[in-house]
Amino acid sequence: AYEITGHTVLTGLLGSPVEHSISPMMHNEAFRQLELDYAYLAFNVGTDKLETAVEGLKALGVRGFNLTMPDKNLMCSLADELSPASAIGGAVNTIVNDNGKLTGYTTDGIGFMRSVKEDGHDIIGKKMTLLGAGGAAAAILIQAALDGVAEISVFNIRDEFFKRAEDIIEKLKEKTDCNIRIFDFSDSEVLKREIAGSAILVNGTSVGMAPNTERCIITDDSVFRKDLIVFDVIYNPEETLLLKKAKAAGCPASNGLNMLLYQGAASFELWTGREMPVDIIKEKYFKR
Ligand code: NDP
């Protein structure tokens, strides 16, 4: 039987809000399945209390924790070391505590790459069109470039995210051979041209997410060719209008559920050194 003991190793989630998160169920079930004496708890901690909370968790000797909004950026300055992806993006979603030394990682991009691969697609050396430059999109951009996607065209409107993406792209150009360009969304002809040359189209924006399920980031359906892989980071609804249109046109299409699962699996592995039993977790928590 699985129970909390005097040896139980603590992991968890910091952010605000956290109550909606699926991570506690996912990790605790995986600990149970592998009979690991670990536990995962969610803590509602905003940026005002983050530093104090992190000091406390360090003093308690927790194994590590996840970060969600609004703590991902601030956590970067509180970590002792950062993975290449976290250093480039200025965001951290996973901390590993090795005897008081905190190392920060970003596992969302890892989750995305694994999701695409497990769907049977190889995008290494190929071209990607990425819509959006927010948190999820930036993580995808960085990991794809680090992993060897050859060319990435990013689309966003010219705002703060656009500027931040330009900084990220500069850093990626120093560290990778990936040919990355960023464009303004408003130029629909450029968008069409870039998608036409891409192996994969990724929606990294929140357009189409519930409750606005009637919206679609792509307005010109002629971009969907049978050999275009279409990936939507959104997982609520499970099938966005974008995915419906892509499927109707015969494109291989995937939602963000596996990305969500695999980013958790990557954190789990960093903490425990064990592989998360993803099939069991998926069956239990990802089938609605
Ligand atoms: P952010 O707020 O960081 O980014 C949102 C992005 O969407 C920005 O690029 C924003 O661009 C763009 N956007 C919003 N509205 C529009 C619009 N009308 N037209 C064009 N672009 C628009 O959010 P996140 O990155 O955290 O989340 C984005 C989506 O990804 C959500 O649906 C979330 O649920 C999902 N997600 C999925 C994950 C997974 O594991 N599958 C992980 C994390 C998030 P602008 O600069 O114009 O604001």
Side-chain angles (χ1 to χ4, degrees):
Y2 176 85
E3 54 186 351
I4 303 282
T5 71
H7 299 281
T8 301
V9 177
L10 186 61
T11 60
L13 170 67
L14 303 184
S16 188
V18 288
E19 294 76 12
H20 64 286
S21 174
I22 192 174
S23 295
M25 279 86 88
M26 197 163 135
H27 288 285
N28 287 314
E29 179 63 29
F31 295 146
R32 270 193 294 274
Q33 290 292 334
L34 299 184
E35 295 184 23
L36 293 171
D37 192 358
Y38 279 64
Y40 186 108
L41 292 175
F43 299 103
N44 193 321
V45 175
T47 47
D48 56 328
K49 298 240 168 50
L50 184 63
E51 190 167 358
T52 316
V54 169
E55 278 309 310
L57 290 173
K58 227 158 108 171
L60 295 173
V62 306
R63 175 60 181 138
F65 46 93
N66 285 134
L67 289 307
T68 185
M69 295 313 287
D71 297 335
K72 289 184 170 193
N73 302 107
L74 179 59
M75 189 61 224
C76 264
S77 59
L78 303 175
D80 300 301
E81 239 174 63
L82 295 174
S83 73
S86 293
I88 292 167
V92 153
N93 84 328
T94 305
I95 287 286
V96 176
N97 177 16
D98 287 309
N99 304 313
K101 186 182 145 208
L102 305 186
T103 306
Y105 299 85
T106 308
T107 64
D108 301 281
I110 297 173
F112 165 77
M113 292 301 289
R114 180 171 171 190
S115 175
V116 171
K117 195 173 172 191
E118 301 228 342
D119 280 341
H121 309 303
D122 181 8
I123 57 168
I124 306 304
K126 309 229 174 98
K127 175 166 173 171
M128 169 191 289
T129 292
L130 174 60
L131 311 179
I140 289 171
L141 167 66
I142 294 165
Q143 199 63 46
L146 289 174
D147 286 359
V149 170
E151 205 176 331
I152 305 174
S153 294
V154 183
F155 287 83
N156 207 77
I157 57 166
R158 289 186 187 277
D159 61 1
E160 283 309 307
F161 281 142
F162 193 98
K163 287 197 209 102
R164 195 192 60 177
E166 287 181 316
D167 289 343
I168 291 173
I169 291 167
E170 279 311 304
K171 290 183 189 148
L172 284 171
K173 281 186 174 161
E174 287 167 24
K175 296 215 165 14
T176 74
D177 295 328
C178 188
N179 177 14
I180 312 170
R181 288 183 297 168
I182 182 158
F183 302 97
D184 196 299
F185 243 132
S186 58
D187 197 338
S188 56
E189 281 311 307
V190 176
L191 177 62
K192 214 170 147 177
R193 181 193 75 205
E194 293 305 305
I195 296 173
S198 294
I200 180 167
L201 169 68
V202 179
N203 175 36
T205 77
S206 47
V207 177
M209 186 170 77
N212 301 312
T213 53
E214 77 296 344
R215 301 188 57 202
C216 184
I217 193 75
I218 295 288
T219 46
D220 180 352
D221 293 357
S222 73
V223 301
F224 300 115
R225 0 167 275 272
K226 274 194 176 56
D227 63 340
L228 178 71
I229 305 160
V230 178
F231 187 101
D232 201 329
V233 289
I234 296 171
Y235 47 82
N236 179 25
E238 282 186 31
E239 193 171 77
T240 57
L241 185 53
L242 173 72
L243 293 183
K244 281 198 178 90
K245 287 182 179 182
K247 282 181 188 171
C251 304
S254 314
N255 65 23
L257 273 177
N258 280 341
M259 173 176 165
L260 183 67
L261 174 65
Y262 297 143
Q263 62 78 31
S267 301
F268 186 90
E269 263 181 76
L270 286 166
W271 296 325
T272 66
R274 302 280 302 273
E275 225 172 276
M276 181 184 264
V278 286
D279 292 340
I280 296 172
I281 305 298
K282 199 170 176 182
E283 185 61 37
K284 200 152 178 183
Y285 297 104
F286 289 73
K287 295 254 162 72
R288 291 186 198 149

